[in-house]
Amino acid sequence: MPTRVLRLLALLQSRREWSGAELAERLGVTRRTVRRDIDRLRALDYPVVGTTGTAGGYRLTSGERLPPLQLTDDEAVAVAAGLVRASGGAAAGVAESSMRALAKLERMLPARLRPRLATLARTGTAVERGDPPPVDAGVMAVLAGCAHDREIVSFDYRDRHDRPSGRRVEPHGLVTVHGLWYLLAYDPDRADWRTFRVDRIDRPARTHRSCPPRQLPAPDAASYLRDSFASASYRYTARMAVRLPAETVRAGVFGPIPGEIREDGAAGCVVRLSAESPELVTQYVAVVAALGGEFTLDTCEEITSRLRGLGNRFAG
């Protein structure tokens, strides 16, 4: 699209209506040239409505088809930030659609905007409890683009013990669990699937090397992460033997837990909770205890000390 036509489109988007004379003056062309450029926009499915007479003019309306979208630099960066935020939404399909859109935007983004995207005011997904660590919109854009294009991505990574490493993986997709964003990927160096917290990823880079399709060992990415987290051991762990059926406990705990619930006979179950946060483990122990069944608890002194302050049920 010629530069003048892009300027015309920007003017039409900035105000409800323009006269032909105003547009001609702004663009430094004749009214006849304005009419010809308006016809070019209409040919590209931009719904430009014109009226005749001395008070006639042009305005951009909504149409039945989505025409090519033209964004300024500021608008492109703002859209990227909004897509990261929207990808944490609760509405069905919003997260997946947002990540697809972010991948497309990342592919088309001019090189001059990438530093701005990387240093954008940090943004994260909305969660039901607590404040998630901030995620970088630029990091999300590169990861989403590589996952969408099935392209190997390299990055620097800090694990939960803050140990740095360089990684080169085949990205499968981005998933949010417990308010945190994770990259699910196959690591050829370790010949296994791995998960990476996005807020711990730095300097992701496209390698322009395609990766082969791989069968995920789970129905979907979300199921894989839930199963992985349920069996993983973290710094703080609590094990509860509860005199309630497993289904009763599952129904009484809001949302996914940082651990697993296993049946233990017809009238009992074992709840295993594990996380890097002692507050999170304490919270879920208290939730399970509040369901009313008798229980025994095996955990560390720090969790026990926190629970004693919650009342007589944990005084023993």
Side-chain angles (χ1 to χ4, degrees), residues 73-111:
D73 288 3
D74 289 340
E75 290 168 342
V77 174
V79 167
L83 289 171
V84 173
R85 190 175 300 114
S87 60
V94 169
E96 181 180 354
S97 298
S98 298
M99 296 313 298
R100 286 202 308 267
L102 186 61
K104 293 178 181 178
L105 182 62
E106 191 272 336
R107 289 199 303 275
M108 295 185 295
L109 207 63

Side-chain angles (χ1 to χ4, degrees), residues 44 154 184 195 255 266:
L44 292 170
S154 64
L184 174 59
T195 57

Side-chain angles (χ1 to χ4, degrees), residues 113-136:
L113 295 185
R114 296 181 189 276
R116 292 185 56 190
L117 190 60
T119 57
L120 185 67
R122 299 173 77 82
T123 178
T125 181
V127 294
E128 295 164 352
R129 63 177 187 276
D131 295 321
V135 293
D136 190 301

Side-chain angles (χ1 to χ4, degrees), residues 63-243:
E64 295 181 357
R65 298 180 59 185
L66 182 65
L69 184 62
Q70 302 295 330
L71 299 174
T72 66
D73 288 3
D74 289 340
E75 290 168 342
V77 174
V79 167
L83 289 171
V84 173
R85 190 175 300 114
S87 60
V94 169
E96 181 180 354
S97 298
S98 298
M99 296 313 298
R100 286 202 308 267
L102 186 61
K104 293 178 181 178
L105 182 62
E106 191 272 336
R107 289 199 303 275
M108 295 185 295
L109 207 63
R112 68 178 183 275
L113 295 185
R114 296 181 189 276
R116 292 185 56 190
L117 190 60
T119 57
L120 185 67
R122 299 173 77 82
T123 178
T125 181
V127 294
E128 295 164 352
R129 63 177 187 276
D131 295 321
V135 293
D136 190 301
V139 170
M140 292 284 280
V142 174
L143 297 177
C146 289
H148 181 272
D149 297 337
R150 294 216 318 232
E151 179 181 324
I152 293 174
V153 62
S154 64
F155 52 82
D156 294 334
Y157 190 69
R158 294 173 293 103
D159 65 15
R160 63 190 183 191
H161 302 295
D162 207 34
R163 294 175 300 207
S165 64
R167 311 304 285 263
R168 191 179 180 91
V169 302
E170 303 171 6
H172 181 276
L174 291 159
V175 184
T176 181
V177 179
H178 299 311
L180 297 172
W181 275 106
Y182 293 87
L183 170 69
L184 174 59
Y186 184 83
D187 189 332
D189 292 336
R190 293 158 178 80
D192 200 1
W193 292 88
R194 291 290 189 269
T195 57
F196 305 91
R197 270 190 34 185
V198 173
D199 59 293
R200 295 174 178 165
I201 292 176
D202 291 317
R203 298 191 302 173
R206 285 181 172 270
T207 63
H208 305 291
R209 291 185 56 191
S210 61
C211 46
R214 295 188 184 275
Q215 183 65 41
L216 190 67
D220 51 55
S223 299
Y224 181 89
L225 261 70
R226 281 195 298 267
D227 293 344
S228 296
F229 296 155
S231 58
S233 293
Y234 297 94
R235 183 175 180 182
Y236 298 95
T237 300
R239 184 180 183 277
M240 302 177 71
V242 187
R243 292 291 299 275

